[in-house]
Amino acid sequence: MSIYDRRQRGEVDRLVEDVRQQRIGRRAFIQRAMAAGLAASSVSALLAACDGDGGTTNPGSTMPSQVDVLNVWGGEEQDSFRAVVAPFTSRTKIKVNIESTRDLDAALTTRLRGNSPPDIAILPNPGKMQQLAGQNKLIRLDTFLNMGQIHTDYQSSWVDLGTYNGGFYALFYKTTNKGTIWYNPAQFEAAGLQIPVTWSDLIAVSDTLASRGKYPWSMGVDSGAASGWPAADWIAEIYLNQSGPAMYDKWVAHKIPWTDASIKSAFRLFGRIVAGKHYIHSAPQSILATGFQDATSAPFSKPSRAYMNYLGDFAAGFITSQFPTARPGTDFNFFPFPTINQQFQGSVTGGADVVVAMKDNGAVRELITYLATAGAQAIWVKRGGFTSANKSLDLKAYPNAVAQASAKMLTAAKSFKFGAGDLMPPAVQQAFWKGMQVFIGNPSQLASVLSAIEAAAQQAYPSP
């Protein structure tokens, strides 16, 4: 390369940097570029290159003054999210327009058909993310996020869940821990019970209480059109802890049939609770007729009507709403779902609200980068009702020790898997929920229940 070429390249580099830093105008750029000996075509190319920062829609050309976020949050959740974005707007002057809907799938479908997607959407599960990514409707977040920081802040299982075909498309934001069994600490202590660590321990505690004429469990699966999902969560948690993450993925993807021995085994373990002698008052009819929220009250009522209730960590909100003076850690607490297979100890199922980008511009990049940080998430954490998977978030930010313990479970989970039903096609999910109700009513119908779900799966999943 000649001295002239090197000087010319140096001048070009300076010119490009000047435009990026907005220190000179377009006319001045052209004059200086021509003086440097560049052809007109080269000048145009450089200007075009400097107009954006590499995104598909020239995100750096102009910073939008607002960003639209479509989500399902309402009430206190909406208020908390507004509190989260308030410092962002104050710093960047970018207004965040929050659109809430109870039927996000329908709203999103309508907007996509009208070619007017939101800038950002908060999806209820990664299944929808996978679908939209496969349709090229999403923007890859790893084109602008610091993935080194993401891998520092999040366990690999969370990054994997947000990945499609090697690209990172989804940030798991507001999470739910479904590895929690709720109990009354004072009641356990009065009965001389130890917290069960293994499945055998759990059955032993249940049998001890039943032998004393006490009901160890409360359970309710009524949830209107979605009745049965709390029992489906039982199966998912059992299956992950018994058969492990690799088999879990095969189950969810229908790489094994519902009649597989591993699935039968998970149902039978659940049946040990449902059909346990003197385990649940007035079972099975009471299980089918009781709302899942109502079932959380039994261990904490006075007198207590049960000792344990399995439900995700959102149960804490149900408990405190029914018993406003209940003290976390003293009057109510949870213990982790017991180990079934030592090889898969520490595996947890759960749920999450998933942040995805549907447009690429500077405002979208700024907001998602902000939402990924521990500092932004701490705002909602301190307000309550929010669990983060971000390992860098100080556990002291959580309002009480119970919330801290749930967050620690998620961030330290050996394997995290999204609730199985939410990853399956809607027709299979519905069949799963219905099958759980049939099984609860009569566990001897296991074979026909699994055959019915398998028939739905064969219709819903694409042929291999």
Side-chain angles (χ1 to χ4, degrees):
M1 180 181 292
S2 68
I3 294 176
Y4 174 78
D5 288 337
R6 288 196 294 269
R7 287 176 177 172
Q8 187 182 53
R9 174 168 292 184
E11 179 65 17
V12 169
D13 290 342
R14 286 192 293 274
L15 288 170
V16 170
E17 183 59 25
D18 280 348
V19 172
R20 283 177 175 163
Q21 297 298 324
Q22 298 182 346
R23 290 196 294 265
I24 63 175
R26 188 181 186 92
R27 178 175 295 178
F29 175 89
I30 294 174
Q31 291 173 345
R32 286 178 56 181
M34 297 300 286
L38 295 179
S41 59
S42 297
V43 174
S44 299
L46 282 169
L47 283 168
C50 293
D51 278 344
D53 63 359
T56 58
T57 58
N58 293 330
S61 56
T62 56
M63 178 67 76
S65 61
Q66 60 185 26
V67 57
D68 298 324
V69 180
L70 180 66
N71 64 80
V72 297
W73 297 324
E76 292 184 4
E77 288 183 314
Q78 191 81 282
D79 292 340
S80 291
F81 187 61
R82 291 187 186 280
V84 170
V85 300
F88 170 82
T89 296
S90 178
R91 174 176 61 83
T92 65
K93 310 307 178 187
I94 299 171
K95 180 182 178 182
V96 180
N97 296 321
I98 303 172
E99 179 185 347
S100 182
T101 174
R102 299 311 299 174
D103 193 346
L104 186 138
D105 190 63
L108 199 53
T109 299
T110 299
R111 294 190 61 166
L112 287 171
R113 286 175 178 169
N115 198 30
S116 61
D119 296 316
I120 294 172
I122 314 295
L123 306 179
N125 60 66
K128 188 66 176 177
M129 177 276 289
Q130 296 276 340
Q131 177 189 19
L132 292 171
Q135 297 170 350
N136 295 317
K137 301 295 185 182
L138 302 181
I139 305 300
R140 284 182 58 157
L141 307 186
D142 50 2
T143 60
F144 60 88
L145 286 179
N146 180 341
M147 292 307 294
Q149 188 64 47
I150 291 295
H151 282 284
T152 296
D153 291 343
Y154 298 88
Q155 291 278 30
S156 59
S157 55
W158 290 103
V159 179
D160 292 344
L161 277 170
T163 299
Y164 176 82
N165 280 356
F168 185 64
Y169 287 92
L171 175 71
F172 282 75
Y173 185 61
K174 183 176 183 289
T175 60
T176 298
N177 177 0
K178 292 188 177 181
T180 49
I181 296 179
W182 297 89
Y183 75 105
N184 184 326
Q187 187 184 36
F188 254 59
E189 183 178 355
L193 302 174
Q194 297 294 318
I195 300 298
V197 176
T198 67
W199 182 265
S200 296
D201 294 340
L202 187 71
I203 296 302
V205 166
S206 300
D207 285 343
T208 296
L209 289 167
S211 68
R212 298 176 185 174
K214 307 292 186 180
Y215 291 102
W217 291 95
S218 65
M219 187 184 298
V221 301
D222 182 55
S223 185
S227 292
W229 71 259
D233 281 356
W234 265 98
I235 298 298
E237 189 70 23
I238 290 172
Y239 193 90
L240 178 62
N241 280 276
Q242 184 178 41
S243 297
M247 286 294 291
Y248 190 95
D249 290 343
K250 289 182 179 180
W251 171 41
V252 166
H254 197 226
K255 300 298 184 183
I256 57 173
W258 279 81
T259 52
D260 188 82
S262 63
I263 300 175
K264 291 180 180 178
S265 179
F267 270 78
R268 289 185 178 122
L269 285 187
F270 174 60
R272 183 70 178 84
I273 302 296
V274 171
K277 186 177 180 181
H278 208 275
Y279 270 29
I280 302 170
H281 186 264
S282 299
Q285 293 81 9
S286 65
I287 301 173
L288 299 171
T290 302
F292 69 96
Q293 295 186 39
D294 296 334
T296 61
S297 67
F300 312 104
S301 61
K302 296 183 179 180
S304 299
R305 293 175 282 113
Y307 281 72
M308 294 174 285
N309 174 258
Y310 167 73
L311 199 64
D313 61 2
F314 49 85
F318 302 151
I319 296 167
T320 54
S321 66
Q322 294 176 85
F323 309 98
T325 61
R327 296 164 297 173
T330 300
D331 298 321
F332 71 92
N333 207 340
F334 74 86
F335 56 84
F337 199 88
T339 299
I340 299 175
N341 184 333
Q342 194 69 31
Q343 181 182 353
F344 308 120
Q345 183 179 12
S347 298
V348 181
T349 65
D353 292 325
V354 184
V355 178
V356 298
M358 306 196 76
K359 292 182 183 178
D360 191 3
N361 58 55
V364 167
R365 293 182 172 209
E366 286 270 3
L367 181 55
I368 290 182
T369 299
Y370 169 74
L371 293 177
T373 65
Q377 294 171 23
I379 295 172
W380 197 336
V381 163
K382 291 175 181 177
R383 292 170 63 94
F386 185 100
T387 304
S388 171
N390 193 318
K391 294 185 293 181
S392 297
L393 197 152
D394 190 343
L395 291 177
K396 294 179 182 178
Y398 287 89
N400 56 67
V402 173
Q404 289 176 15
S406 179
K408 187 174 182 179
M409 267 187 70
L410 282 180
T411 57
K414 180 179 179 181
S415 173
F416 176 89
K417 292 296 181 181
F418 214 86
D422 289 334
L423 295 175
M424 297 172 181
V428 180
Q429 184 183 56
Q430 291 288 338
F432 189 9
W433 293 346
K434 181 179 179 180
M436 294 311 306
Q437 295 174 76
V438 175
F439 178 76
I440 289 169
N442 187 354
S444 68
Q445 296 296 311
L446 176 58
S448 61
V449 164
L450 295 180
S451 294
I453 304 175
E454 173 61 19
Q458 290 181 7
Q459 292 291 323
Y461 285 89
S463 301

